[in-house]
Amino acid sequence: MNIYQIVAVISLGVLAHGAPTQCPEAYGVQAYAHPENCDQFFLCTNGTLTLETCENGLLFDGKGGVHNHCNYNWAVDCAERKYDPTAISSPGCEYQFGLYEDGPECSTSYIKCEYGLPNSLECVKGLVYDDRIHGCNWPDLLLEKCNPEAVVGFKCPAKVDPNSPAARFWPFPRFAVPGDPHSLFLCNEGHPRLIACGEDKLFDQSTLTCEDA
Ligand SMILES: *[C@@H]1O[C@H](CO)[C@@H](O)[C@H](O)[C@H]1NC(C)=O
């Protein structure tokens, strides 16, 4: 039970017996879980109470900001609250709101659906879409369908000279990315990963680490 639900139970306890008559706060915007329905919630806007319903594919958990206080259904723990899981599908979108693979093949992009309209989004360079986590992931974690060398554009050497700087990071030897001083290649069991140094950092070829620019 999160803070929204606790507040909802205390402040809107009358709901079990009938419609609530007022909001606990006179100002601001507050959302409260519906005690029975996972796809509904109560919204107080400057003291005005409304019953809201999440869009298809979304549910309420008090912390979801995907759309109108609701979160993706796979991210929400409804506990005792009920909802109708029926999908309202349209071409490219199972639910009206959701994140989807753009095909069965390994892909560096994915589909984000809003109001049933699919939009193609790109993963950060070097990553591929992983439906298991509904997000982008290292290609070497999806070896059943991805070829990390093709995705990353680097082949890890079978051996690393023990005297080379790369060997210092064994079993995860590192290499410079030609033409990109903001990233590095890292090899994990022979599979490459493209790692970004992060903001304001540059890859130092002599130390093979990301340093403050
Ligand atoms: C709430 O009321 C304040 C003050 O009257 C106003 O500035 C604000 O826009 C209102 N907020 C909403 C969400 O209506």
Side-chain angles (χ1 to χ4, degrees), residues 16-175:
H17 312 289
T21 50
Q22 62 184 43
C23 287
E25 310 271 342
Y27 294 103
V29 176
Q30 301 89 27
Y32 303 98
H34 189 290
E36 277 140 38
N37 301 333
C38 198
D39 61 344
Q40 291 194 308
F41 61 101
F42 293 95
L43 191 66
C44 288
T45 309
N46 276 351
T48 301
L49 184 77
T50 50
L51 174 63
E52 306 277 320
T53 301
C54 296
E55 299 287 341
N56 184 246
L58 304 178
L59 297 171
F60 184 84
D61 63 4
K63 52 195 177 198
V66 173
H67 177 79
N68 187 28
H69 303 277
C70 298
N71 202 352
Y72 290 120
N73 54 12
W74 42 263
V76 175
D77 177 8
C78 288
E80 301 300 306
R81 295 177 300 143
K82 307 270 186 299
Y83 72 100
D84 177 1
T86 306
I88 300 173
S89 304
S90 52
C93 296
E94 183 187 357
Y95 285 87
Q96 294 285 292
F97 280 72
L99 301 176
Y100 302 104
E101 294 180 292
D102 52 14
E105 310 286 315
C106 181
S107 179
T108 58
S109 60
Y110 59 99
I111 304 291
K112 180 176 181 174
C113 291
E114 293 174 299
Y115 293 108
L117 294 176
N119 237 311
S120 183
L121 296 180
E122 281 295 315
C123 290
V124 167
K125 204 160 175 281
L127 301 186
V128 292
Y129 186 71
D130 185 348
D131 203 40
R132 300 168 301 186
I133 63 165
H134 306 279
C136 299
N137 213 346
W138 307 114
D140 63 277
L141 298 179
L142 284 113
L143 286 177
E144 58 282 4
K145 63 176 181 179
C146 291
N147 173 357
E149 291 172 9
V151 173
V152 171
F154 182 74
K155 186 171 169 54
C156 290
K159 282 189 238 173
V160 172
D161 177 351
N163 299 315
S164 69
R168 281 204 291 125
F169 295 94
W170 191 264
F172 307 110
R174 299 170 161 207
F175 304 91

